[in-house]
Amino acid sequence: MRCLGTKRLEELHRTLSQNQHTSFFKAKKEATFHSSTQRTQTQLQKPQSKSGDDDIKQWNVAISSYMRNGLCNEALRVFHRMPRRSSVSYNAMISGFLRNGEFDTARKMFDEMPDRDLVSWNVMIKGYVRNRNLGKARELFERMWERDVCSWNTMLSGYAQNGCVDEARRIFDRMPEKNEVSWNALLSAYVQNGRMEEACVLFESRENWALVSWNCLLGGFVKKKKIVESRQFFDGMNVRDVVSWNTIITGYAQNGKIDEARKLFDESPLQDVFTWTAMVSGYVQNRMVEEARELFDKMPERNEVSWNAMLAGYVQSERMEMAKELFDVMPFRNISTWNTMITGYAQCGNVTEAKNLFDKMPKRDPVSWAAMIAGYSQSGHGYEALRLFVQMEREGGRLNRSSFSSALSTCADVVALELGKQLHGRLVKGGYESGCFVGNALLLMYCKCGSIEDANDLFEEMTGRDIVSWNTMISGYSRHGFGEEALRFFESMKRQGLKPDDATLVAVLSACSHTGLVDKGREYFYTMTQDYGVTPNSQHYACMVDLLGRAGLLDEARSLMKEMPFGPDGAIWGTLLGASRVHGNTELAEIAADKIFAMEPENSGMYVLLSNLYASLGRWGDVGKLRVRMRDKGVKKVTGYSWIEIQNKTHTFSVGDEFHAEKDEIYAFMEDLDLSMKKAGYVSKTSVVLHDVEEEEKERMVRYHSERLAVAYGIMRVSQGKPIRVIKNLRVCEDCHNAIKCMAKITGRVIILRDNNRFHHFKDGSCSCGDYW
């Protein structure tokens, strides 16, 4: 389709051809920029007629028209064929190049310009400001032999828009002449950067501010959530427009004062589509979806923001059927519309519908990719999330912090350390790693992937650490079995002046539990409210029950549960059941199990714990009864499996695995390894077998547990000197724990095993847990 601008350019072509003896359409040879400049300088020495000036104007109009249509090369051809040029010609070219993003070409033309006027300097300085090169802009500014108010305002606005408020103020104070633009630029700089006291001082230093300035300051109060000051300022305004009313209504709505916002809405003498939308958005933000819809249906007109606000209301309240109905009848949709729907489906766990919409999108932005990747990651589809991340890169999608964070979270969940390291490299290259948001995602990835050393190195390099950073490291060291190091981090955090929160204390108590620091744990628990203002919640109590239970203090643990200000949940009873199994307290274990079965009748893990206890005592009849009970209730035991990542490929094993491509080689290696282990003194702990079979059969059953197969494969395939990292979806059994200690000793390898509870670092025949797990 040809636009009107193109037709206008053709008319200009014809006009110029008729008036010039040397038409640029029929030129035999294209002159270079340098020779054109020399020719122009020669022609400028000759007297020019008025008709010649008119001709130059027509050439300049052609240049400007081409530039407005993004046709830089055509504009340059016109410029080269001009028989004579003025500063306006050069300025049109420079301004056009800047407008079309060709900054280097603009600067070259500026440097080669024979005579620069004030406009030339102002245009080039504005180009540097738009390019966010304030240093070069300031350098040119200081070289100017003459400046007007536009020159000063360009520098002032450049500093203001880039957050350099103090430098903007210095420019403002130097200005020999100021206009409304100057005052508003500085006022806006103070407001946008949250410096409201200075904004108020500036506002009070003069009278006769324009209404736009009043609205700017009003918006600043609203942005800072100073709703009382906002209303006082609004009431003091002699003149208000629709922007004033919209701003104050939005302020009340965003601060939860929806009734006052509605009162102002009803009183407003001026209402436009933005007024109505502000009120609809207010209801949505306050989770009042029905009221939002009622007002939405009454709107005299709606725009994209109105529709998207109503759609977001349904999505936030997880009413996806209503959201889909609205989505289907929307007269126009933008990327934000599609992203809202995708996010809604993903957050509800319906990744299939989210992906269907994602595939139908006419255009995607970084938010679209990040939403879909996060949806897969949060719903447990880790590998699909990573595949989508790779697809985004291949299709040239722009990576942002959210997509990186979701991909890193997925790497942590599926323990894809090598891919996580590659992402880390991409983050460094993209300049993203310094911020807390991405930095914390990296910390968590390294901690969950079993590389606590890399996490520590990254932590030391982070320039900005927040409470999440410290909590991640404390929790990481705790889960890896290094409780003393976790507590050292805790004390260091306090010395840095950070106040512990409830997550910090969960990590600290967990560290004490994993390391057997009973007295230290008691001290932290009973002083946490007084020292840190943290009231114990169910997680803190669960940690304490775990701490006391591991130490064999079952009576104290039971007493603490009775003293709780709320009833114990399934997690706490499960902790007590686990401790009772370890210490052989059948009576307490059965009490805990009954409570859990009532709360969580489908929790197969608790049946297994109780079965373990019965089996260790030889109570096979009770084991059988539990199996019948599980069958009658439809409770299925979770299948245990383990996996290991080698050269970006994940190898998964189940007990007695028969599907791995190298199974014959693995089993042959395990036979040799088992002989070496027995020579080193390893003896199978067959009491973990929940079947009443012969001892020899029990030994065979435990020998081929999934974690042992994965570890054996790691010894075979992971290069010597590198740690072997294995993940198991269930708790590692006692026999495998003993076996892997022996395997680490006789092979001289470091083996890191993550089960569903913690990490175990095996080295030289011992484990980081100290067998206290």
Side-chain angles (χ1 to χ4, degrees):
M1 179 182 285
R2 302 174 67 186
C3 64
L4 293 176
T6 304
K7 293 181 180 179
R8 174 62 179 150
L9 289 177
E10 292 175 351
E11 292 173 4
L12 287 167
H13 275 308
R14 288 193 293 271
T15 303
L16 289 169
S17 296
Q18 294 168 0
N19 292 342
Q20 294 296 327
H21 296 294
T22 307
S23 169
F24 56 79
F25 289 111
K26 299 178 180 179
K28 296 179 180 179
K29 184 177 181 181
E30 185 174 316
T32 63
F33 179 78
H34 181 66
S35 62
S36 296
T37 302
Q38 289 180 326
R39 186 169 66 250
T40 301
Q41 289 175 321
T42 302
Q43 290 175 337
L44 284 172
Q45 295 172 358
K46 300 177 182 179
Q48 300 292 326
S49 64
K50 187 176 187 300
S51 61
D53 291 338
D54 291 338
D55 289 341
I56 291 176
K57 288 180 181 179
Q58 290 179 328
W59 290 86
N60 291 342
V61 169
I63 289 171
S64 297
S65 297
Y66 274 128
M67 286 298 191
R68 278 196 300 271
N69 285 275
L71 304 173
C72 297
N73 290 334
E74 285 78 358
L76 188 59
R77 292 191 189 99
V78 173
F79 180 82
H80 282 160
R81 293 185 173 97
M82 289 181 71
R84 174 174 170 267
R85 307 183 188 100
S86 66
S87 61
V88 175
S89 313
Y90 282 92
N91 292 340
M93 289 298 296
I94 294 169
S95 178
F97 281 130
L98 291 171
R99 186 185 303 116
N100 288 283
E102 298 192 19
F103 182 84
D104 293 337
T105 309
R107 179 57 200 260
K108 180 181 178 183
M109 185 163 283
F110 176 81
D111 290 339
E112 296 178 359
M113 193 172 174
D115 295 300
R116 305 183 189 107
D117 59 14
L118 185 57
V119 174
S120 314
W121 289 89
N122 285 345
V123 167
M124 200 63 227
I125 290 172
K126 189 173 184 179
Y128 274 121
V129 167
R130 284 180 175 174
N131 210 42
R132 295 191 173 184
N133 193 337
L134 298 180
K136 285 290 185 181
R138 184 62 176 270
E139 181 183 317
L140 275 185
F141 178 80
E142 296 298 346
R143 284 172 51 195
M144 292 179 71
W145 58 274
E146 177 188 5
R147 305 184 187 103
D148 61 5
V149 69
C150 180
S151 318
W152 289 95
N153 284 342
T154 300
M155 281 309 306
L156 172 60
S157 298
Y159 283 125
Q161 291 165 7
N162 286 277
C164 306
V165 183
D166 293 332
E167 198 60 44
R169 181 61 198 239
R170 281 189 279 271
I171 289 288
F172 180 84
D173 291 339
R174 283 178 56 192
M175 291 179 71
E177 177 188 356
K178 304 177 181 73
N179 60 13
E180 285 296 322
V181 175
S182 319
W183 287 92
N184 285 332
L186 185 60
L187 181 69
S188 178
Y190 282 135
V191 169
Q192 292 300 319
N193 288 275
R195 295 165 64 163
M196 290 302 297
E197 291 184 9
E198 292 160 287
C200 290
V201 171
L202 181 70
F203 193 82
E204 293 170 0
S205 68
R206 70 187 290 258
E207 298 179 353
N208 301 321
W209 285 90
L211 181 56
V212 65
S213 308
W214 285 83
N215 287 337
C216 175
L217 196 59
L218 177 63
F221 285 125
V222 168
K223 186 178 179 181
K224 294 288 286 185
K225 300 185 182 299
K226 295 186 175 182
I227 196 64
V228 175
E229 292 86 344
S230 300
R231 184 56 184 265
Q232 291 173 347
F233 188 78
F234 177 81
D235 290 339
M237 295 175 68
N238 294 323
V239 179
R240 306 182 189 118
D241 62 5
V242 69
V243 175
S244 317
W245 285 95
N246 292 350
T247 302
I248 193 66
I249 290 169
T250 301
Y252 274 110
Q254 289 179 345
N255 284 276
K257 299 182 180 296
I258 195 68
D259 292 337
E260 188 62 31
R262 182 57 190 260
K263 182 180 178 183
L264 284 167
F265 173 82
D266 293 336
E267 293 175 358
S268 175
L270 304 167
Q271 291 182 346
D272 60 9
V273 65
F274 300 103
T275 318
W276 286 83
T277 301
M279 198 63 228
V280 171
S281 298
Y283 279 129
V284 167
Q285 291 168 8
N286 287 273
R287 305 280 180 177
M288 302 171 69
V289 182
E290 298 300 334
E291 291 81 353
R293 184 57 190 260
E294 181 182 351
L295 194 65
F296 177 82
D297 289 338
K298 294 178 181 178
M299 291 182 70
E301 64 171 317
R302 307 182 185 105
N303 59 14
E304 286 185 357
V305 180
S306 317
W307 285 94
N308 285 342
M310 193 63 245
L311 185 70
Y314 284 129
V315 168
Q316 290 169 11
S317 60
E318 298 184 356
R319 298 169 63 177
M320 291 307 300
E321 290 185 6
M322 295 295 295
K324 184 64 166 61
E325 287 181 13
L326 191 69
F327 178 81
D328 289 340
V329 299
M330 288 177 71
F332 29 65
R333 303 168 184 155
N334 56 21
I335 290 182
S336 177
T337 313
W338 290 85
N339 290 345
T340 299
M341 287 296 294
I342 290 169
T343 301
Y345 279 123
Q347 289 178 345
C348 290
N350 191 347
V351 290
T352 301
E353 193 60 40
K355 188 61 164 59
N356 287 338
L357 280 180
F358 180 81
D359 291 337
K360 293 176 182 176
M361 287 184 75
K363 185 179 179 182
R364 303 181 185 119
D365 66 2
V367 177
S368 318
W369 289 98
M372 198 62 239
I373 292 169
Y376 274 133
S377 177
Q378 293 166 5
S379 60
H381 297 79
Y383 291 107
E384 286 82 355
L386 293 179
R387 276 195 287 269
L388 195 64
F389 184 86
V390 172
Q391 179 187 339
M392 176 180 65
E393 287 191 291
R394 287 174 179 168
E395 294 184 11
R398 185 166 60 87
L399 306 176
N400 63 6
R401 285 178 171 82
S402 294
S403 55
F404 268 121
S405 180
S406 295
L408 287 170
S409 176
T410 302
C411 288
D413 291 337
V414 302
V415 199
L417 179 61
E418 294 305 316
L419 180 57
K421 287 183 175 180
Q422 292 174 23
L423 290 176
H424 189 177
R426 294 291 308 278
L427 284 164
V428 172
K429 186 177 179 181
Y432 286 121
E433 72 163 346
S434 58
C436 278
F437 182 66
V438 172
N440 290 338
L442 277 169
L443 284 179
L444 186 61
M445 184 274 293
Y446 280 122
C447 286
K448 282 193 169 185
C449 288
S451 188
I452 194 70
E453 298 86 358
D454 286 325
N456 185 71
D457 291 343
L458 175 65
F459 181 84
E460 294 298 332
E461 294 172 3
M462 286 178 65
T463 53
R465 304 172 189 149
D466 59 9
I467 188 68
V468 177
S469 315
W470 288 93
N471 288 350
T472 301
M473 289 305 299
I474 295 169
S475 178
Y477 274 112
S478 170
R479 291 198 66 196
H480 280 263
F482 304 116
E484 296 285 357
E485 189 63 28
L487 297 184
R488 278 195 289 272
F489 261 82
F490 177 58
E491 296 301 327
S492 179
M493 183 190 81
K494 291 192 293 182
R495 287 194 296 271
Q496 295 290 326
L498 274 77
K499 185 179 179 181
D501 60 11
D502 58 344
T504 315
L505 271 300
V506 169
V508 167
L509 292 173
S510 179
C512 294
S513 175
H514 286 313
T515 319
L517 301 174
V518 178
D519 292 338
K520 200 72 175 173
R522 283 198 192 102
E523 179 186 345
Y524 285 130
F525 180 78
Y526 288 110
T527 62
M528 59 190 290
T529 302
Q530 176 183 340
D531 292 351
Y532 313 117
V534 176
T535 302
N537 59 30
S538 62
Q539 287 182 291
H540 300 113
Y541 276 101
C543 287
M544 278 303 295
V545 171
D546 188 43
L547 170 69
L548 298 170
R550 287 174 187 270
L553 302 172
L554 299 177
D555 291 338
E556 185 177 347
R558 186 71 182 94
S559 298
L560 180 65
M561 291 171 64
K562 293 177 179 178
E563 296 171 2
M564 288 170 55
F566 41 79
D569 58 16
I572 294 177
W573 282 113
T575 300
L576 185 64
L577 173 56
S580 301
R581 183 196 66 81
V582 171
H583 296 286
N585 191 324
T586 309
E587 180 182 355
L588 190 56
E590 289 175 335
I591 293 173
D594 287 340
K595 295 287 187 181
I596 296 167
F597 296 155
M599 293 179 178
E600 303 171 4
E602 297 182 358
N603 190 332
S604 63
M606 298 300 105
Y607 283 95
V608 172
L609 280 177
L610 190 57
S611 291
N612 282 338
L613 176 57
Y614 287 149
S616 66
L617 298 174
R619 294 171 56 176
W620 300 110
D622 291 323
V623 172
K625 290 177 183 177
L626 271 180
R627 286 192 185 135
V628 172
R629 186 174 180 182
M630 290 177 68
R631 184 190 63 201
D632 292 344
K633 291 184 175 293
V635 178
K636 294 183 179 180
K637 181 183 176 182
V638 176
T639 301
Y641 60 91
S642 302
W643 66 95
I644 182 171
E645 181 191 16
I646 300 176
Q647 295 181 344
N648 279 338
K649 183 177 180 181
T650 301
H651 300 262
T652 305
F653 298 88
S654 59
V655 60
D657 198 284
E658 291 291 334
F659 299 101
H660 195 278
E662 301 174 71
K663 63 178 176 36
D664 293 338
E665 190 176 351
I666 295 171
Y667 284 121
F669 177 78
M670 287 193 69
E671 290 295 331
D672 294 337
L673 187 61
D674 192 53
L675 290 175
S676 299
M677 290 166 60
K678 287 181 177 178
K679 289 179 182 179
Y682 163 72
V683 177
S684 296
K685 190 175 181 64
T686 56
S687 60
V688 300
V689 178
L690 304 183
H691 299 277
D692 187 12
V693 295
E694 296 296 327
E695 197 70 18
E696 184 177 344
E697 177 63 14
K698 289 183 179 180
E699 287 187 19
R700 191 196 67 78
M701 294 174 72
V702 297
R703 184 185 306 163
Y704 300 124
H705 277 186
S706 63
E707 56 265 56
R708 288 170 72 165
L709 291 171
V711 168
Y713 188 66
I715 295 172
M716 292 169 55
R717 295 289 178 257
V718 176
S719 301
Q720 190 73 32
K722 289 186 176 181
I724 297 165
R725 306 175 193 276
V726 172
I727 313 301
K728 183 172 183 180
N729 67 325
L730 302 177
R731 189 173 184 268
V732 61
C733 79
E734 189 174 354
D735 179 67
C736 286
H737 188 269
N738 293 337
I740 297 173
K741 284 195 298 182
C742 187
M743 293 163 81
K745 182 177 181 179
I746 64 176
T747 62
R749 304 299 296 269
V750 173
I751 301 168
I752 301 172
L753 171 67
R754 185 183 109 180
D755 65 12
N756 67 347
N757 186 48
R758 64 177 296 162
F759 281 89
H760 299 267
H761 290 243
F762 300 95
K763 182 180 179 181
D764 297 331
S766 63
C767 179
S768 60
C769 71
D771 297 334
Y772 192 81
W773 57 284

